Amino acid sequence: MRHAVLTDIHGDTARLRAVLERIRAQDVDEVVCLGDVFECRVGKRDAPAYEFKGSLTEVFDADPQLARLLDGVRLVRGNQEERIRALVPEAHLPDWTRPLLDAPSEHRTDFARYCHGHSLPWRELEPGRWCPAEADFPGRALVHGHHHRSALYRLRPGSPTRVENVPVRFGEPVPLAPDGRYVVNVGSVTRCAPDRGPSPAWAVIDEAAATVTYHHLQLTE
């Protein structure tokens, strides 16, 4: 299986459309979205005290184009979807939002675990650079989003787990060694800090060939 994996859209419909148009030309078997499709306007710190007053736009921009663009895509929910679901009463949610808000927390294959990443055990490798090195996953790879960075790590046994930074080469398949365990940080569709790599970005995971290929678009905005 060849999976095109994208994540962290945060309501940016134009960037999502541009990425999906490029993915259609990449001969993949499945497209996987790892969540944070929406941007919740109520911050994590404010959420516990928030009271819904009947307006969806106070919580998020409910753009149905996002659902139409992601029709047929395998969905995984992110922390933005979980927060929106907790803040908006059931009766006020449009039907088209439910597949996005109620997506499963992960997708697993024999080769990899695909998830958003917010609930993983993160470790700061160096200032501003985080990796869920102690996370549990089957097979060869953990594929995640949430951190808005294009990065690839090989995990080495140790206490704590030793983490080797594997250089990301956009457009070039990187082989994942048969005896290796890897953390694949996909990068984001939405804008990210320049030191985290270009955006919009996505990755193609070829499970049969055991490779990951990072991609990005140069947009004029």
Side-chain angles (χ1 to χ4, degrees):
M1 287 282 285
R2 280 170 51 84
H3 301 271
V5 186
L6 56 92
T7 184
D8 293 281
I9 299 158
H10 291 271
D12 197 327
T13 307
R15 283 179 158 232
L16 173 61
R17 183 181 294 108
V19 167
L20 289 173
E21 286 176 357
R22 183 63 62 88
I23 285 173
R24 291 191 192 102
Q26 291 187 315
D27 189 28
V28 298
D29 300 298
E30 183 173 57
V31 182
V32 182
C33 176
L34 299 181
D36 279 9
V37 174
F38 298 114
E39 175 69 23
C40 185
R41 291 174 174 159
V42 180
K44 182 168 60 176
R45 294 180 181 178
D46 297 328
Y50 178 79
E51 294 184 14
F52 185 73
K53 300 178 179 62
S55 173
L56 276 183
T57 56
E58 287 186 359
V59 181
F60 72 113
D61 183 10
D63 183 358
Q65 289 188 69
L66 291 169
R68 288 195 290 269
L69 287 169
L70 292 170
D71 184 36
V73 170
R74 182 182 291 275
L75 300 170
V76 171
R77 72 175 181 269
N79 56 291
Q80 300 291 320
E81 284 75 52
E82 290 180 355
R83 193 182 312 150
I84 291 166
R85 201 67 169 89
L87 296 176
V88 181
E90 180 76 23
H92 289 268
L93 288 171
D95 288 342
W96 65 264
T97 65
R98 298 178 195 280
L100 300 171
L101 297 175
D102 296 337
S105 62
E106 62 178 36
H107 170 57
R108 291 198 181 208
T109 68
D110 291 338
F111 187 87
R113 175 186 177 188
Y114 299 84
C115 63
H116 181 67
H118 58 295
S119 59
L120 295 175
W122 291 84
R123 190 212 302 172
E124 193 172 20
L125 306 179
E126 57 186 71
R129 184 179 286 268
W130 294 77
C131 174
E134 272 67 51
D136 173 56
F137 58 95
R140 207 171 302 181
L142 170 65
V143 185
H144 71 87
H146 186 60
H147 191 37
H148 297 203
R149 180 186 293 277
S150 298
L152 178 63
Y153 304 102
R154 182 169 180 172
L155 307 183
R156 305 281 188 178
S159 184
T161 304
R162 291 181 294 132
V163 182
E164 173 189 338
N165 183 29
V166 181
V168 170
R169 304 188 300 269
F170 285 91
E172 298 181 31
V174 178
L176 306 182
D179 60 346
R181 287 167 61 76
Y182 294 86
V183 174
V184 181
N185 192 343
V186 173
S188 61
V189 171
T190 194
R191 293 174 181 82
C192 64
D195 66 333
R196 296 191 176 195
S199 65
W202 70 99
V204 173
I205 312 296
D206 190 325
E207 295 190 350
T211 62
V212 55
T213 308
Y214 288 85
H215 299 274
H216 72 92
L217 283 175
Q218 293 183 335
L219 300 179
T220 302
E221 298 173 314

